[in-house]
Amino acid sequence: MSAVPPPAISVEGLTKDFLLSVRGYRVRAVDDLTLQVPAGQVFGLLGPNGSGKSTTIKVVLGLIEPTLGRTAIFGVRSAEVRSRLNVGYLPENPNFHRFLSGRELVTFYARVCGVDRARLRDRVDEVIEWVGLKDAASRRLSTYSKGMLQRIGLAQAVVHDPRLLILDEPTAGVDPVGSAEIGELILRLKAQGKTVVLSSHLLAQVEDLCDRIAILNRGRLVLEGGVDDLVTEKGRDALIVRGLDASALGDLRGWLDGRGAELVAVEKPRTTLDRIFREHVAERMQAADAPTAPGPGTEGRPR
Amino acid sequence: MSAPGTVSFSLRRIGVIAELTVLEAVRQRLFGVLLVLAAGMIAGAQLLREFNFGSSELKFITDFGFGAVTLFGTILAVVTAAQLFFAEIENRTALTLLAKPVFRAEFVLGKFAGVAAVLALFVGVTTGVLVAVLWMREQSLMASVPEAFERGRLVQYGSVVAFGALQWLKFSVIAALTLVIAGFANTNLYSVVISFLVVLICHLQYLAHESWRRMASGVGRTAAMLLAAVFPNFQMFNVGDRVAAGQAIDPVVLGGSAAYGALYLAVFLALAVYVFRRREI
Ligand SMILES: Nc1ncnc2c1ncn2[C@@H]1O[C@H](COP(=O)(O)OP(=O)(O)O)[C@@H](O)[C@H]1O
Ligand SMILES: [Mg+2]
């Protein structure tokens, strides 16, 4: 055993070409990517459509073979089946066996993952409740909405209590309220000490969730770092003041000048449309006692 | 159970995947339609009696029943195997499944086992209906024309059941073969069409077999020999005529056919696993 625990995911020099025709025309989906996902963090894999996020994830999960390079999960090569013992995966645009009910689906995956028979029922009910689908658990998946599919997908991903979760665009096509609920679940996973890898092309959304991000473009890594480091503007601070009139503002400006600081801008703080939508719609849903509201034990929502 | 941190090949997982496959097939319309059609045709065979009473009527029912089992069973084997395989690929459910600690071989064998179970259900029900129809018809014939039954019952019920079992084996070989083709193919339709073609070749393969014996040498002979070795000879399972004629199946012939089928089954399953392991999903 080495002293340093291996990273949750390591990707070394990964290149993946897809063969497009028999004449050998290829498209390079991932280009010499090197990346490490430290354990215990929420990691955002960002980039425009077609930048190679899903392909990277599939190689890491051993679903497709790399053209060059290697990948590992907790130090175990992706080619080995045992590398997937500690992973839960929610594919992009998830689609599950439509002829099953939500509970049947989660039970199936729990059995595939070898969840103890004695605990099976309890565990399945537990995760279905956790994602807020208790009332829909016996409905066929063909009747589920997009947001519900994402959540049942999350339930099957966590059912065997893996240490790492890989979520490919978990909020794509989901409305802001649903997205916020999924965001909340991700933060709860992080609070439980799980590593979460999250891919998205909606940057604003993941900013609130991720500790670290990597940005891909055309299969190449263009930027990687801690979110706080990346988004805080160094050497600048913002004050939010109530009851500031024009003369006080003049005084403040003079006072700051005297200390060698400069008042760069005075603006009205803005909330986001996203937040307004969420607050209004969520209020109404709670008033209607919507079955999709997240369960108890969730203080606050993501910033 | 395997030690923590390791995964070993597991029959239990194959069983779980097979169970899901059966559930999917049974909840689909196709299975019910083919089952009802086949059983209905067999049950209705006795209504088509513009024949003289006696052994020839029983022979007709048997022939007709075997034909229905073979025809609909073959369709069911090809279509369900291809359909259930591509449902997993096209709906991307295979992604979720194979991202779990599951061997690709377990996936393929699980799919196969599920299809084989569905086929067993089909053969069981249709053969059961056939036996029941034959029995009832024989009872009433024995009452109305006793002189035809001086030496006891005419229908070899054991052989009818053996025929069913042998057909099930043949359908399983067809399903395995379809899985090999589906492993290469890009679409469901393509693999269904190719599989039916191959099934046809397997039925006519004995012609190639006979021709290479007669051929002197050369490319033609080699090709015919290859054809005869690669494709199983489905005439090996064709014991229906003798049974319908009221003859018992020789246990040695039966055992030989079963061994022949099992051998091809093993080879096709190994191929299906091999092809699927290399597939990008
Ligand atoms: N199976 C495939 N065959 C051919 N090209 C593919 C395949 N999968 C992905 N690609 C191509 O690889 C590139 C990266 O795709 P993807 O990883 O899905 O991007 P992202 O998830 O970032 O949107 C795209 O140009 C896409 O068209
Ligand atoms: Mg993608």
Side-chain angles (χ1 to χ4, degrees):
Chain A
M1 288 295 250
S2 58
V4 187
I9 294 179
S10 76
V11 175
E12 276 174 53
L14 172 65
T15 295
K16 175 68 190 179
D17 290 341
F18 286 108
L19 200 62
L20 289 185
S21 73
V22 278
R23 279 177 299 156
Y25 185 69
R26 288 158 185 274
V27 59
R28 181 152 291 186
V30 182
D31 193 357
D32 195 21
L33 178 68
T34 298
L35 198 65
Q36 297 213 331
V37 176
Q41 295 196 346
V42 178
F43 190 98
L45 198 56
L46 311 181
N49 285 329
S51 56
K53 306 179 296 289
S54 301
T55 304
T56 305
I57 288 173
K58 286 185 193 171
V59 174
V60 166
L61 288 167
L63 296 170
I64 53 182
E65 304 245 312
T67 306
L68 284 174
R70 51 180 158 191
T71 60
I73 299 177
F74 293 117
V76 182
R77 288 185 313 116
S78 299
E80 290 183 49
V81 170
R82 71 187 175 97
S83 70
R84 294 187 275 288
L85 276 174
N86 266 305
V87 195
Y89 170 50
L90 173 64
E92 177 175 38
N93 298 319
N95 197 351
F96 301 108
H97 303 95
R98 305 170 63 77
F99 57 94
L100 295 179
S101 71
R103 180 176 290 110
E104 284 172 333
L105 179 88
V106 179
T107 306
F108 168 68
Y109 282 115
R111 290 176 65 199
V112 165
C113 291
V115 171
D116 212 13
R117 259 209 127 78
R119 293 196 53 239
L120 191 65
R121 279 186 75 102
D122 290 345
R123 180 62 189 162
V124 168
D125 287 343
E126 195 182 332
V127 294
I128 286 178
E129 173 137 32
W130 184 75
V131 297
L133 285 175
K134 199 175 168 200
D135 294 347
S138 10
R139 272 165 53 186
R140 289 230 180 150
L141 294 174
S142 49
T143 69
Y144 276 31
S145 72
K146 190 127 187 165
M148 292 165 87
L149 280 178
Q150 295 279 14
R151 279 186 286 153
I152 203 73
L154 211 49
Q156 66 74 28
V158 299
V159 72
H160 55 306
D161 199 23
R163 286 156 66 199
L164 167 66
L165 286 145
I166 300 182
L167 315 176
D168 197 351
E169 311 248 5
T171 58
V174 180
D175 66 60
V177 176
S179 301
E181 284 168 6
I182 290 171
E184 206 165 292
L185 293 174
I186 291 172
L187 290 179
R188 279 156 75 184
L189 288 169
K190 183 191 166 188
Q192 291 170 25
K194 312 278 188 213
T195 309
V196 181
V197 173
L198 173 69
S199 95
S200 185
H201 61 274
L202 304 171
L203 307 188
Q205 226 170 47
V206 293
E207 186 183 323
D208 291 337
L209 295 173
C210 296
D211 300 305
R212 237 185 132 67
I213 56 153
I215 299 182
L216 301 186
N217 189 28
R218 294 162 165 264
R220 292 187 194 217
L221 182 65
V222 291
L223 184 69
E224 196 203 345
V227 171
D228 290 337
D229 294 342
L230 291 173
V231 297
T232 43
E233 298 187 45
K234 301 211 171 50
R236 288 160 73 109
D237 291 286
L239 310 171
I240 295 182
V241 185
R242 197 196 306 267
L244 185 72
D245 57 26
S247 77
L249 180 60
D251 292 349
L252 180 62
R253 201 183 294 273
W255 187 80
L256 286 170
D257 272 351
R259 282 179 164 65
E262 185 198 357
L263 185 62
V264 179
V266 178
E267 3 178 89
K268 292 275 169 220
R270 293 169 69 97
T271 181
T272 60
L273 270 182
D274 191 75
R275 189 172 301 166
I276 294 174
F277 180 94
R278 236 153 59 201
E279 277 164 7
H280 283 72
V281 177
E283 255 168 38
R284 215 170 307 149
M285 283 174 75
Q286 259 152 25
D289 195 23
T292 51
T298 50
E299 311 282 280
R301 49 187 64 243
R303 286 172 293 146
Chain B
M1 278 274 93
S2 46
T6 67
V7 187
S8 43
F9 190 79
S10 152
L11 287 178
R12 186 190 52 78
R13 267 196 303 271
I14 293 177
V16 174
I17 295 170
E19 219 178 281
L20 183 84
T21 309
V22 172
L23 201 60
E24 178 165 11
V26 172
R27 285 187 188 177
Q28 272 177 352
R29 214 168 298 133
L30 180 76
F31 175 71
V33 168
L34 288 182
L35 186 65
V36 169
L37 220 61
M41 270 177 73
I42 296 166
Q46 52 181 331
L47 302 176
L48 304 169
R49 63 165 99 102
E50 57 213 47
F51 302 92
N52 52 341
F53 287 102
S55 62
S56 58
E57 185 185 341
L58 291 172
K59 179 177 181 317
F60 170 76
I61 295 176
T62 315
D63 257 344
F64 194 78
F66 285 172
V69 174
T70 305
L71 175 67
F72 292 109
T74 304
I75 295 173
L76 188 67
V78 170
V79 177
T80 4
Q83 161 71 32
L84 296 182
F85 179 84
F86 277 99
E88 296 271 3
I89 304 289
E90 281 166 8
N91 300 331
R92 301 184 314 280
T93 48
L95 279 182
T96 319
L97 184 52
L98 292 167
K100 306 278 184 204
V102 172
F103 288 95
R104 290 209 170 189
E106 290 170 347
F107 176 83
V108 173
L109 295 178
K111 282 283 140 201
F112 170 76
V115 175
V118 169
L119 292 169
L121 189 62
F122 173 85
V123 171
V125 170
T126 48
T127 309
V129 171
L130 179 59
V131 166
V133 168
L134 282 172
W135 180 273
M136 289 187 303
R137 197 63 208 133
E138 193 171 39
Q139 282 303 98
S140 57
L141 286 174
M142 281 164 89
S144 54
V145 274
E147 58 280 6
F149 297 89
E150 272 162 357
R151 287 187 290 160
R153 290 186 170 272
L154 293 174
V155 181
Q156 301 280 343
Y157 289 97
S159 298
V160 172
V161 172
F163 171 85
L166 218 48
Q167 292 311 296
W168 172 74
L169 185 61
K170 184 176 110 180
F171 299 153
S172 299
V173 173
I174 293 175
L177 183 155
T178 305
L179 285 177
V180 177
I181 292 163
F184 288 111
N186 283 324
T187 67
N188 188 359
L189 184 65
Y190 177 81
S191 40
V192 167
V193 170
I194 299 292
S195 299
F196 275 123
L197 269 177
V198 173
V199 169
L200 190 67
I201 293 174
C202 293
H203 276 285
L204 301 177
Q205 182 261 26
Y206 70 104
L207 297 175
H209 207 80
E210 269 154 31
S211 61
W212 75 253
R213 281 184 200 192
R214 272 183 278 109
M215 272 182 224
S217 65
V219 186
R221 188 186 157 119
T222 318
M225 262 172 81
L226 257 172
L227 204 67
V230 170
F231 297 101
N233 176 6
F234 278 170
Q235 301 301 328
M236 289 290 284
F237 303 103
N238 199 359
V239 294
D241 292 346
R242 305 193 50 183
V243 180
Q247 293 168 332
I249 304 180
D250 181 351
V252 177
V253 173
L254 189 66
S257 299
Y260 183 80
L263 182 71
Y264 270 98
L265 189 59
V267 170
F268 285 149
L269 283 179
L271 259 176
V273 168
Y274 175 78
V275 171
F276 186 66
R277 278 175 59 149
R278 312 184 57 91
R279 188 185 177 110
E280 305 218 310
I281 53 170

